[in-house]
Amino acid sequence: QSVLTQPPSVSGAPGQRVTISCTGSSSNIGAGYEVHWYQQLPGTAPKLLIYGNNNRPSGVPDRFSGSKSGTSASLAITGLQAEDEADYYCQSSDNSLSVRYVFGTGTKVTVL
Amino acid sequence: QVTLRESGPALVKPTQTLTLTCTFSGFSLSTSGMCVSWIRQPPGKALEWLALIDWDDDKYYSPSLKTRLTISKDTSKNQVVLTMTNMDPVDTATYYCARMGSGLAFDFWGQGTLVTVSS
């Protein structure tokens, strides 16, 4: 029951740039809530990748960047590397029906 | 450093109640702005937020599961407990606890615990 929609998969060759969209609505991203992104490597717990729309926690390479506009947000990976192959999730807050926090549907990034 | 670890049964029967414990270190849930959440992920599926408890003992639940969930904390033990009643096979998932700081992002996660619901 994700309320944030992401493409199921994106792919790119090493060194290329890929983007992942996260589409929400007026009750979440469009309401001004910040968007956060998580990377989930196979068989592991999610890891915070981007917080507050476009901030990287310490240790996250600057190849990862985030942006937000209107009711959508995007995650960009430049200089794609083999170790970037993972699932990526966006997350925000939501004020409809007292829902507090919502995740995206998830995107599998494949490095060709 | 901040760590979280989930514990609980790996297998529960349908209709039973699940009790999961999140034991954490490296921060205090009595510090203003600190929160701990439970999030689950069915095999091969997306993350789903379940519940959150904050430093002031305010509790928030997913509307679709609200009637089945209870979250509580024991600040002295650095633990957060989630109970989910009337378990069903569709509740089979890896259950994670995660810290939420003032930025409203889940900045630290436990390794997760797989719970299978089967008779």
Side-chain angles (χ1 to χ4, degrees), chain B residues 32-103:
Chain B
S32 178
M34 285 296 159
C35 311
V36 171
S37 248
W38 285 94
I39 297 152
R40 70 178 179 179
Q41 185 174 38
K45 296 189 177 182
L47 300 167
E48 178 185 17
W49 175 74
L50 300 177
L52 177 143
I53 189 165
D54 70 15
W55 78 100
D56 206 24
D57 209 34
D58 291 321
K59 301 159 188 176
Y60 305 92
Y61 298 100
S62 167
S64 62
L65 294 167
K66 183 173 184 175
T67 60
R68 300 173 53 205
L69 296 174
T70 303
I71 191 170
S72 62
K73 65 181 174 74
D74 186 330
T75 304
S76 65
K77 292 183 179 179
N78 280 351
Q79 291 182 333
V80 171
V81 175
L82 180 78
T83 62
M84 180 180 289
T85 61
N86 195 25
M87 293 292 285
D88 183 272
V90 300
D91 296 313
T92 294
T94 296
Y95 287 75
Y96 296 99
C97 63
R99 187 185 84 161
M100 174 181 277
S102 57

Side-chain angles (χ1 to χ4, degrees), chain A residues 2-13:
Chain A
S2 304
V3 297
L4 303 179
T5 302
Q6 301 178 230
S9 64
V10 298
S11 61

Side-chain angles (χ1 to χ4, degrees), chain A residues 1-2 34 36 38 40 44-48 50-52 89 91 93 96-106, chain B residues 35 37 39 41 45-49 52 60-66 96 100 103-107 109-112:
Chain A
Q1 52 193 22
S2 304
E34 293 183 324
H36 318 291
Y38 303 87
Q40 187 175 31
T44 69
K47 165 193 163 185
L48 181 63
I50 296 286
Y51 68 93
Y89 294 91
Q91 177 253 314
S93 301
S96 67
L97 298 175
S98 76
V99 174
R100 296 288 294 191
Y101 305 103
V102 289
F103 284 95
T105 50
Chain B
C35 311
S37 248
I39 297 152
Q41 185 174 38
K45 296 189 177 182
L47 300 167
E48 178 185 17
W49 175 74
L52 177 143
Y60 305 92
Y61 298 100
S62 167
S64 62
L65 294 167
K66 183 173 184 175
Y96 296 99
M100 174 181 277
L104 300 185
F106 300 109
D107 54 2
W109 295 64
Q111 63 187 18

Side-chain angles (χ1 to χ4, degrees), chain A residues 20-108:
Chain A
I20 301 170
S21 60
C22 174
T23 303
S25 67
S26 58
S27 65
N28 41 68
I29 299 174
Y33 294 113
E34 293 183 324
V35 178
H36 318 291
W37 292 90
Y38 303 87
Q39 177 192 59
Q40 187 175 31
L41 297 170
T44 69
K47 165 193 163 185
L48 181 63
L49 194 66
I50 296 286
Y51 68 93
N53 302 327
N54 55 11
N55 301 288
R56 289 184 308 277
S58 175
V60 173
D62 59 7
R63 303 185 290 105
F64 296 93
S65 63
S67 63
K68 174 191 159 184
S69 178
T71 58
S72 296
S74 290
L75 173 72
I77 310 174
T78 57
L80 194 64
Q81 299 184 5
E83 60 258 36
D84 299 333
E85 188 158 293
D87 293 323
Y88 293 82
Y89 294 91
C90 59
Q91 177 253 314
S92 187
S93 301
D94 190 291
N95 60 25
S96 67
L97 298 175
S98 76
V99 174
R100 296 288 294 191
Y101 305 103
V102 289
F103 284 95
T105 50
T107 298
K108 169 70 175 180

